[in-house]
DNA sequence: CAAGATTGACCAATCAATCTTT
DNA sequence: AAAGATTGATTGGTCAATCTTG
């Protein structure tokens, strides 16, 4: 039977713990500031990067690594509070185009300083840039191996 | 205004992506084998390590990094299917002792090969032990900085 | 009152089924 | 039939309130 080596176990447990602890910090800071969750930020950022044409739901889905229904429900909420618009799609009658609204841009801009502040206070306080870079490369190898 | 450096952003995004992608792999493999989710494994393992005396819910909670109500609901499910037992606590009338049952041990033993297989297939396929060790140390520094 | 633990009500995530267009 | 997207029903997670004992 296969048994992972101690380095593998250590990396796995630290990966699970660090991602949860950091995520909690960021989400906690957003909530404390009366702002929406990180998932909203991610979606707004992708739509803002896409500019004029907007994005099709399936494209947003790929970028956010969400299931199809997850995207559908997330977009429902964003549309519900006026941060995103749904428009019929010209080229493909099955689909739509999603576009960020002015309110959406404003919300993302309000969220960023809070988000950025936590990243600086945790990641940059913990690791010099050179080490952060090496760790990022190792994680990148994990990502490629897992899909 | 604070702005995280590019290495910080890269590490953060890889951390979020790698943890999600690897977790999906492991959860997917468990589900495909008709087994319960990883959260059950984690709880069963802690209770098995605790041996005879069992664990108080608050102690399990600390080890699993769950909120109090989260632990309560998780234990509900484990007790519901007979993998864990709740016993009144001798020293402290407010609390209980949680103990893994024989069925609980058997379930953990069935889950481990599936879990271990995915770790080997992803982590060990991606990184030599020496690099895994260095990455684990970097993540450990992140964990300490975040709490 | 603080600590350990649970619970009702609500929100979010998931599954399977569905609908439309290609 | 496959791709894009949504939806009803269920399950799981979260919040605030509650209960009991220290």
């Amino acid at each position: 039977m296969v048994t992972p080596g101690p380095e593998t176990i250590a990396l796995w447990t630290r990966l699970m713990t660090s991602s949860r602890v950091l995520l909690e910090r960021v989400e906690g800071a957003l909530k404390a500031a009366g702002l929406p969750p990180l998932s909203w930020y991610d979606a707004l950022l992708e739509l803002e990067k896409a500019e004029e044409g907007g994005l099709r739901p399936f494209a947003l889905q790929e970028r956010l690594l969400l299931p199809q229904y997850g995207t559908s429900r997330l977009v429902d909420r964003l549309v519900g509070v006026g941060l995103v618009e749904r428009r019929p799609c010209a080229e493909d009658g099955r689909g739509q185009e999603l576009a960020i609204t002015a309110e959406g841009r404003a919300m993302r801009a309000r969220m960023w300083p809070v988000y950025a502040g936590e990243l600086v206070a945790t990641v940059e306080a913990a690791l010099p840039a050179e080490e952060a870079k090496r760790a990022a490369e190792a994680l990148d190898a994990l990502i490629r191996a897992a899909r």
Side-chain angles (χ1 to χ4, degrees), chain A:
Chain A
M1 200 200 69
V2 289
T3 298
E7 301 85 3
T8 300
I9 307 257
L11 177 53
W12 170 254
T13 59
R14 303 300 183 284
L15 180 60
M16 290 299 107
T17 303
S18 62
S19 58
R20 284 177 53 178
V21 168
L22 290 209
L23 201 50
E24 259 170 43
R25 284 259 318 209
V26 173
E27 295 281 18
L30 288 171
K31 174 169 298 190
L35 294 168
L38 204 49
S39 57
W40 288 33
Y41 183 92
D42 292 334
L44 292 173
L45 179 61
E46 292 301 335
L47 292 174
E48 203 167 330
K49 284 198 292 193
E51 273 306 330
E52 279 318 297
L55 276 185
R56 300 279 302 269
F58 75 90
L60 183 59
Q61 191 188 130
E62 280 167 12
R63 288 165 173 72
L64 300 181
L65 300 177
L66 286 179
Q68 208 169 37
Y69 56 77
T71 308
S72 191
R73 302 232 132 117
L74 174 58
V75 170
D76 277 351
R77 280 172 240 138
L78 293 168
V79 169
V81 296
L83 302 181
V84 168
E85 264 182 1
R86 277 190 170 110
R87 299 187 300 221
C89 181
E91 307 96 46
D92 188 335
R94 295 171 299 185
Q96 312 162 355
E97 274 162 9
L98 305 174
I100 190 169
T101 63
E103 292 80 16
R105 287 174 204 274
M107 178 61 83
R108 196 198 68 80
R110 284 177 58 207
M111 295 176 79
W112 174 238
V114 177
Y115 188 3
E118 291 302 314
L119 292 190
V120 169
T122 52
V123 179
E124 293 188 5
L127 295 173
E130 191 50 45
E131 283 186 49
K133 198 180 161 207
R134 257 196 288 143
E137 279 161 12
L139 295 181
D140 212 49
L142 281 187
I143 294 168
R144 286 192 304 269
R147 32 181 182 204

